[in-house]
Every structure is written in C-alpha cells, then in structure tokens.
Amino acid sequence: MKNSIPLRAAAFIIALVLAVGVLAGCSKTGNGDGTSDTGSTAATTAPEETTAPADTTPTALSVLGEKDFGGDTVTFYSRYYDGLWKSDLIATDDDTDTLKVAVYRRNKFIEDAYKVKIDEMQSGSASFRSKLENLVMTGDESFDAVYMSVTDAAESAQAGLFWDLHDIGRIDLEGKWWSQSCNKAWSIAGRQFFAVGDITTIDNMATYCTFFNRKIVDANQLVSPYDLVKSNEWTLGKMFEMIESAYVPGQSDNEAQVYGLSAENSFGFMMLMASGELISRNDENDIPQITIGNERSLSIADMLVSKTAGNKAIYLGADTAIMNNFRNSQSLFMPEVLYHLITLRDSDLDVGVVPLPKYDPEQDSYYSFTTGYCITCLGFPQSNTGDRLERAAFITEAMAVQSLTTVTPAYFEVCVKTRYAPDIESSGMIQIILDTIYTDLAEVYKWGGLRDKVQKAVKEGGSITTIVNASKKPADIARKLTVSGWEKVKKLG
C-alpha cells in the first residue's frame, strides 16, 4: 500500500488564491478607479499575512543526511523482460512519460546528492531465481541488490540467498516509504527478506480491481457500482445479481453473446481473498498458520461454486480472451489488475472501476488482492557484504524516501487521478483500492496447492469442504518447511 498524496499542494494553492485576492482588494481602495481614498480605513489596514503550510514530506537528505560515495556504482539485478511487470527502477533523460520523468528526476537527485551511480543488470526473463542462486553461491559481485517477483524472492529467501532486512541498519521498514501491509504479510517469526514501497509503482499496478462497462449498466437500468460502493452495498451477492441481469446469450453459434462477467481462471480464489478469507494468517508469534476452512470461508467458497460453475453468464479463461470480451463490449464486469487502466485508454469504452466486492456489508473493509507473480520486490543477496552492502542499502533507502516527493506524486496526481482514471468518480475508488492491498504467503508459496484447487472447484464445481480438508495436511507440511527454511537462514554479522 502506498501513501496517498497529502493535501499540502491543494492547501498551498488555496492560500495563494486568497492572498492574491486580498492584495487585489487593497490595490483598489473603494473608488473603483484605482485612486487613493485617504478617508477609507481599508487603505490603512494591513491584510493578514497568509503563508503556505510547511512541507513535512520526508526526503532522502532529511532522513539520511549527507554522504559521499566517491562515484561508486550501485547495481540492481532486475526483472526485465518483454512483459507487464518489468523493472521501473531506471529511466533516461530523454524519456517523456510522466512517470519515467519522475523516476529519472529521483535517480538524478540521488546520484548528485550522494556522488553515486545507479545502474541495472537486466535479467532478460520474468523469472530468474536459478540464475540468482548460481551467482550468489559463487560470490558474484556484479550486482548489489535484487529486484524480482515476490514468487522468486520467496523461494530465494527460503533457500538462504537474502539477508534479513531487519539486520541491515540502513533499511527502516517502519518508514512510511515501505508498504506496511506487505511488511506484515511477508514476515515470519520476526524475519523479513524482501520488501516493497514507494520506490516502485508495480505493486500498485499489479493490484486487482473490478472494471465495469458503464453503457451496459445504463442499458440494463442497473445501479451504478460507484453508488453501491458509497452505500456499502457493493457485495458478491449484488455482483452476481447484476451479472445475471446483463447476460445476453447469442442467438446462434456464430453470434456473440454479452457476458455478465469475464475473468481469469483464478476468479474464485480472487473473490475469496476479496472477502477477507486469506489462506494463511500469522499468529501472535508471527508464524503463518493455515486459516482457510473456517465456517465463513467455506460458506463463501460454497457460494462462489454455486454461482459460478456452469453459469453461462460468466466467462473464465485466459487474459487475451477476457480482454477481448471486455474491449468488444461483451462483458459487464472484468476483475483485473489496475495496469489495464493504461491498456484500456485507447478504447472507445465508457469504463468505470471499483474495488473487488465485499462478501457482505458487515465486512470490515475491502481487500484488494495481488499475486506473488505480478508484484515485484527488493532484497539484498548474501554475496553482498561489508561496505558494498552498506552502500547498496543506503542508496535503496534513499531512493525509496525520495520517491515520496517524485515518483509517488507523479503516479497519484497525474497517472491515476487524471491520465489513467477513466472518470472523476474512479479516482476515489482507485484510492480505496490502493489503501487496501493484501498478499498471502500461502498463495506465493502455493502451500498444498490450495489456491489452484479452490479456483478450479469454483470454475468446474466440486465440494470445497472436501478439497480443503484433503489439502490442509500437505499445506501444513509445506508451511512448516517454509518456516523452518526462514529460521535457518544465516544472520548478518
């Protein structure tokens, strides 16, 4: 979860407008012609001085102070491939995209302030855990930090390739520039090997939401999902009701139909997570425990199976097919990642976006789910020690902090609230989504195959109770292996 942009900019503008208004009023002293009126008390009364509120947003220099690294280089071994989730850590001076310009400005500031060079070693593939392991085990020093998918990072952590971030003094995980919800999800027994925060925007773009076609809503005289969110009635039950209302079957094999919903095969698991029923949660000792199987989770899963399996109003399939359905106005709803705010910009659709639905109005909050494959995180390899590690941690922390005044404002103010947001109402919805990001280590590690089994049952039908009961033991064995692996990782120092 990222910090939303503070209102200091708006307050400053308001204060400036008021100040200009007061000064303008004093220049015209009541005669209407700009001449002086010595009999007017207004001419001798000084206006109240208006000042803009102080900007208290942390910066790299205010948090970390000054430092001179003498021109040394910090290199990130980054996930870089022909796909959506490639690295966004580096930009060049000739980039024109608003977000990339902000990244360039941030890096340039850090390089100039700390006399350092920020570089990147590109992976060339979406997954590169095995390559990383070979490099770390041979003591390779060609890179200083790692930027990879959470799925890869989790496996690397269990294999002992990363340092515990709590042991690295320069990394302050409690800083507002690191995601606190992800910190909580990625901790085991007080140890954490990877993190994410304002240094990147991929975690935001990889978060699931619900896109909807506003023309289909209007054509079927349905209540706007925006209004349902505002009245706390945006629930699974309401979504399924609208799905059935919008469904239009094809009149022949060659005629397209309009689905109520098009989604990935993971729809069932996605909705279970959105209901707040994660597969695992950490106990009072910060140890993850398998929690799926309680009465509420089984009730929700059973509802998903009964409403989804065999339902002709719902299309579940691959990304390309569901995007085609939605682009061609053949689907009312499409639960997908926020990244598609960008890919849908060139369409003629009238698109809206809201969070994934709650299970019922009594649910405490929305749960905006993101997967371990999509989201990208940072860690420090155990091949990096001493001064190199100190430098890499310092610069990584500095980049994260400095992003609060560069990358994050660009993302929220320009990319989300104006350029990417399809309408004014969606801006507020996007803020709700980004304020409620959740991940689950059980999904990342695929303990007991529970994720795949649940989503398959929802699509094809099956007894959730039987599946969960049969999978709990192997899931718990896998969970214990992960916990044991984390506990055995060598400590720094």
Side-chain angles (χ1 to χ4, degrees):
M1 178 185 70
K2 298 294 173 60
N3 298 291
S4 58
I5 296 301
L7 297 177
R8 63 184 187 279
F12 174 74
I13 293 170
I14 293 170
L16 184 61
V17 170
L18 290 174
V20 171
V22 170
L23 291 171
C26 290
S27 68
K28 292 184 180 286
T29 57
N31 291 336
D33 58 359
T35 60
S36 176
D37 182 353
T38 56
S40 170
T41 56
T44 59
T45 303
E48 292 185 10
E49 186 175 338
T50 305
T51 58
D55 187 349
T56 58
T57 305
T59 65
L61 288 173
S62 71
V63 173
L64 297 170
E66 298 180 356
K67 193 85 171 178
D68 187 339
F69 288 106
D72 288 333
T73 299
V74 172
T75 301
F76 293 88
Y77 187 15
S78 299
R79 184 190 204 187
Y80 205 95
Y81 68 113
D82 184 19
L84 296 184
W85 315 118
K86 65 183 179 184
S87 170
D88 60 346
L89 292 181
I90 304 291
T92 62
D93 60 357
D94 58 354
D95 280 319
T96 57
D97 177 82
T98 301
L99 202 50
K100 288 185 177 181
V101 169
V103 170
Y104 175 78
R105 284 177 50 225
R106 176 198 65 195
N107 292 357
K108 186 70 165 61
F109 177 87
I110 298 299
E111 290 180 331
D112 291 345
Y114 296 112
K115 305 298 185 292
V116 70
K117 172 67 177 174
I118 299 171
D119 202 359
E120 186 172 54
M121 185 170 83
Q122 299 177 355
S123 66
S125 58
S127 176
F128 58 102
R129 194 198 68 79
S130 59
K131 295 179 183 177
L132 173 67
E133 183 171 9
N134 290 334
L135 292 172
V136 173
M137 292 306 180
T138 58
D140 186 276
E141 296 185 356
S142 59
F143 61 98
D144 306 289
V146 181
Y147 185 50
M148 67 195 320
S149 73
V150 170
T151 301
D152 268 3
E155 293 293 339
S156 299
Q158 188 169 340
L161 303 183
F162 288 149
W163 293 118
D164 184 348
L165 296 175
H166 292 294
D167 294 341
I168 303 175
R170 286 297 184 182
I171 300 296
D172 178 14
L173 288 176
E174 295 183 2
K176 63 187 294 184
W177 43 90
W178 295 111
S179 169
Q180 300 308 308
S181 63
C182 288
N183 284 348
K184 185 177 180 180
W186 299 341
S187 175
I188 294 180
R191 309 196 78 186
Q192 185 177 336
F193 298 97
F194 44 91
V196 74
D198 288 81
I199 196 171
T200 176
T201 62
I202 289 179
D203 55 331
N204 292 341
M205 288 304 200
T207 301
Y208 280 85
C209 62
T210 309
F211 291 96
F212 66 94
N213 186 311
R214 297 179 69 175
K215 291 182 179 178
I216 295 179
V217 168
D218 293 341
N220 289 277
Q221 297 182 320
L222 302 174
V223 178
S224 169
Y226 289 143
D227 294 334
L228 292 172
V229 171
K230 293 172 186 175
S231 63
N232 195 34
E233 297 176 277
W234 177 232
T235 63
L236 268 175
K238 192 64 180 177
M239 172 187 262
F240 281 116
E241 178 185 315
M242 295 174 74
I243 286 171
E244 296 298 333
S245 298
Y247 172 55
V248 180
Q251 300 304 308
S252 67
D253 291 341
N254 297 323
E255 187 175 347
Q257 59 183 337
V258 176
Y259 296 98
L261 176 140
S262 292
E264 299 175 26
N265 289 314
S266 59
F267 171 72
F269 180 79
M270 193 191 311
M271 291 300 109
L272 190 63
M273 299 298 101
S275 300
E277 291 299 334
L278 308 182
I279 292 177
S280 69
R281 291 182 185 274
N282 286 20
D283 62 18
E284 64 276 8
N285 297 315
D286 199 30
I287 302 296
Q289 304 292 341
I290 304 298
T291 54
I292 191 172
N294 61 66
E295 184 177 347
R296 184 175 184 271
S297 67
L298 292 177
S299 176
I300 294 170
D302 283 340
M303 173 201 183
L304 288 166
V305 172
S306 65
K307 295 286 188 180
T308 305
N311 189 341
K312 294 182 179 180
I314 295 176
Y315 177 91
L316 300 184
D319 287 351
T320 302
I322 67 174
M323 283 298 297
N324 284 339
N325 284 346
F326 194 73
R327 275 184 170 275
N328 295 330
S329 292
Q330 291 176 249
S331 183
L332 167 59
F333 292 123
M334 181 182 71
E336 255 298 348
V337 292
L338 276 171
Y339 185 88
H340 289 300
L341 287 170
I342 300 174
T343 62
L344 290 169
R345 271 189 303 171
D346 62 351
S347 72
D348 295 327
L349 297 173
D350 191 358
V351 180
V353 59
V354 291
L356 298 177
K358 295 180 178 182
Y359 173 56
D360 56 32
E362 286 69 44
Q363 187 171 311
D364 59 349
S365 71
Y366 290 100
Y367 284 74
S368 301
F369 177 66
T370 184
T371 72
Y373 173 79
C374 297
I375 193 170
T376 313
C377 62
L378 287 149
F380 296 92
Q382 292 209 354
S383 54
N384 189 358
T385 59
D387 290 342
R388 277 184 58 233
L389 179 59
E390 165 76 11
R391 180 174 61 244
F394 185 102
I395 294 304
T396 299
E397 184 83 351
M399 291 169 67
V401 177
Q402 197 63 27
S403 294
L404 292 174
T405 56
T406 51
V407 177
T408 299
Y411 178 77
F412 275 94
E413 295 297 333
V414 178
C415 297
V416 170
K417 293 185 179 179
T418 56
R419 187 194 302 179
Y420 295 165
D423 52 50
I424 293 175
E425 286 182 291
S426 66
S427 295
M429 300 297 155
I430 292 168
Q431 189 65 66
I432 293 174
I433 294 163
L434 296 179
D435 282 344
T436 54
I437 297 178
Y438 286 84
T439 62
D440 188 342
L441 277 181
E443 185 273 334
V444 172
Y445 280 112
K446 301 179 178 61
W447 291 333
L450 272 169
R451 182 200 68 178
D452 294 339
K453 292 174 184 176
V454 167
Q455 61 193 36
K456 183 178 180 181
V458 170
K459 179 180 181 180
E460 300 177 2
S463 170
I464 291 292
T465 302
T466 300
I467 289 170
V468 170
N469 288 340
S471 303
K472 263 195 167 184
K473 186 174 181 179
D476 202 48
I477 292 172
R479 175 195 66 84
K480 289 177 180 177
L481 286 173
T482 297
V483 172
S484 176
W486 280 46
E487 290 174 340
K488 292 176 181 177
V489 176
K490 182 175 67 175
K491 291 183 175 292
L492 181 64

